[in-house]
């Protein structure tokens, strides 16, 4: 089993940047597709970015052009670079597999003020 721990969140002003990290207790090499999810108060959890073993990526329309997902299998870590942050990006961010889902971590809070 793989345990995921998210970090890097915080409070920033609109237009700022954050880099989130997702550290795995075990190897993520066996997880073909990894994704970053977020859940805002009163809303359903949504997938915002994903990355596949071949390096291809996909993004939700709401974050396209602003967020970049990457993975380092040697470090068992997935990253999410977030630029030009908007107040609507405020949420708890989680990482997990896209299809192969493991236990959810605690997430990391991102708060963007106007």
């Amino acid at each position: 089993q793989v345990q995921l721990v998210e970090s890097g969140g915080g409070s920033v002003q609109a237009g700022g940047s954050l880099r989130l990290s997702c550290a795995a207790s075990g190897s993520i090499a066996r997880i073909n597709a990894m994704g970053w999810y977020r859940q805002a108060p009163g809303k359903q959890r949504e997938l915002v970015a994903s990355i596949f073993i071949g390096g291809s990526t996909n993004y939700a329309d709401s974050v396209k052009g602003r967020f970049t997902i990457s993975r380092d299998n040697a470090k068992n870590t997935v990253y999410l670079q977030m630029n030009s942050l908007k107040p609507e990006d405020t949420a708890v961010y989680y990482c997990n597999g896209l299809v192969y889902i493991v236990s959810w971590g605690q997430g990391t809070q991102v708060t963007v003020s106007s």
Side-chain angles (χ1 to χ4, degrees), residues 50-66:
S50 58
I51 184 166
F52 299 83
I53 195 68
S56 62
T57 57
N58 287 299
Y59 299 93
D61 289 341
S62 59
V63 307
K64 188 179 293 292
R66 301 187 297 117

Side-chain angles (χ1 to χ4, degrees), residues 19-38:
R19 186 174 188 248
L20 307 184
S21 297
C22 172
S25 61
S27 176
I28 62 170
R30 299 176 66 181
I31 305 177
N32 187 57
M34 292 291 296
W36 279 96
Y37 304 77
R38 69 185 181 188

Side-chain angles (χ1 to χ4, degrees), residues 42-112:
K43 297 183 178 180
Q44 297 294 317
R45 182 171 56 218
E46 63 174 335
L47 178 69
V48 298
S50 58
I51 184 166
F52 299 83
I53 195 68
S56 62
T57 57
N58 287 299
Y59 299 93
D61 289 341
S62 59
V63 307
K64 188 179 293 292
R66 301 187 297 117
F67 291 11
T68 302
I69 186 173
S70 61
R71 64 189 291 175
D72 187 336
N73 289 340
K75 296 181 178 180
N76 293 320
T77 303
V78 183
Y79 305 95
L80 185 67
Q81 179 66 47
M82 306 186 297
N83 298 324
S84 302
L85 284 163
K86 304 175 180 179
E88 51 262 43
D89 294 320
T90 296
V92 178
Y93 284 72
Y94 304 86
C95 65
N96 213 323
L98 184 62
V99 177
Y100 176 64
I101 304 296
V102 300
S103 297
W104 295 94
Q106 295 298 308
T108 185
Q109 176 71 50
V110 171
T111 302
V112 185

